[in-house]
Amino acid sequence: MSHESGQRLPRRERTKPQFAASAPTRPDGPVDPLGEYLSYSRLRSFHDCPRKFFYKYIEKREGDESRLWVHSGKNFHEYLEKKLAPHEGAAFPHEALKAAPHGHRTRSATLAGNICAGAELLAVEREVRYTVGGVQVLGYLDLMYRKPDGTVVICDVKTGGSPKIHIEQLEMYAWFYLEEHARLRLEYQLVDRDEMVAWHVGAAQRAQLEDELLARANVIRSEREFPPIPGGQCSSCEFFDACPDAGKSRGKPKEQRLIQLTAAKSGAKRRAKEFGG
């Protein structure tokens, strides 16, 4: 096992080349569908639509990002990074967040109100990189802080009225930090709803988290066809114009749906019960 961390995710504007609509064709020669590394973004893309994963991570196309509904949330995350980064290693700046400019004030105040007084900010936009079972994992956690009782919290901040979240996103980060901490609290802050989804994992569950992570990686590695899962979600896909099957049917198979908020809550409760609360 090897790992390193510490760099922040650079945010860059990229040129967007145009592609004619086409079904996927595999490059010549053997290709590992997992690519250079496994990330939450890649896992979510594959779960959402294997063809989208193929376009983005195997053919390495640049899609039309104007279709993505991420601009408001991206701006808020950029604001948080700028505001919080100077306070790493110090007390969480509750009052500074509550005094945010108008465009970010409600979300900032909600987040500040949901993080306990006396918390210490450990990291913001922290890179998490490690190798396990031959799989390289890369991610960027939003926040990590320590509660006054010593509990370390890995926190992801979600915007949107009904945010889509995966339980495994934070558990991918937890595996890395459980080597150092015997117990972690994993926490989704749903700032537009003023709600929280949280559960604990401990060092005793690290092997199980590892098995589940590798199982997800193997599902991607074993895929050969990369079928489309068309439906209403196609309108917000950056490859809408490239995919000949975009929007051909309504909805998508239940087993392929992203975990919604209600499922995430029940999933967190199940994990808490499974892992001992």
Side-chain angles (χ1 to χ4, degrees), residues 236-251:
S236 62
C237 175
E238 64 265 45
F239 302 107
F240 182 88
D241 295 324
C243 180
D245 296 292
K248 281 189 175 179
S249 66
R250 299 187 62 185

Side-chain angles (χ1 to χ4, degrees), residues 32-143:
D32 181 357
L34 198 60
E36 304 93 330
Y37 56 84
L38 178 66
S39 67
Y40 164 67
S41 296
R42 293 184 180 216
L43 187 65
R44 173 171 172 171
S45 178
F46 183 85
H47 196 284
D48 196 13
C49 177
R51 180 170 291 178
K52 178 170 72 173
F53 178 93
F54 183 90
Y55 285 152
K56 188 168 186 176
Y57 297 112
I58 296 180
E59 290 196 332
K60 300 187 184 302
R61 299 188 181 195
E62 294 285 352
D64 180 6
E65 293 187 354
S66 67
R67 288 186 171 274
L68 302 179
W69 301 337
V70 300
H71 301 294
S72 175
K74 179 180 178 181
N75 290 340
F76 180 60
H77 279 78
E78 289 176 347
Y79 167 77
L80 279 183
E81 180 179 3
K82 180 179 179 180
K83 196 71 174 179
L84 296 179
H87 299 274
E88 285 186 344
F92 191 89
H94 292 83
E95 295 306 316
L97 280 189
K98 292 177 181 178
H102 178 71
H104 300 302
R105 187 171 302 157
T106 300
R107 287 171 170 170
S108 294
T110 298
L111 179 61
N114 288 341
I115 294 181
C116 59
E120 176 190 3
L121 179 61
L122 300 177
V124 55
E125 283 291 343
R126 173 66 58 84
E127 179 184 281
V128 180
R129 183 192 297 268
Y130 58 87
T131 301
V132 56
V135 175
Q136 296 188 66
V137 180
L138 176 66
Y140 295 85
L141 60 83
D142 289 348
L143 297 173

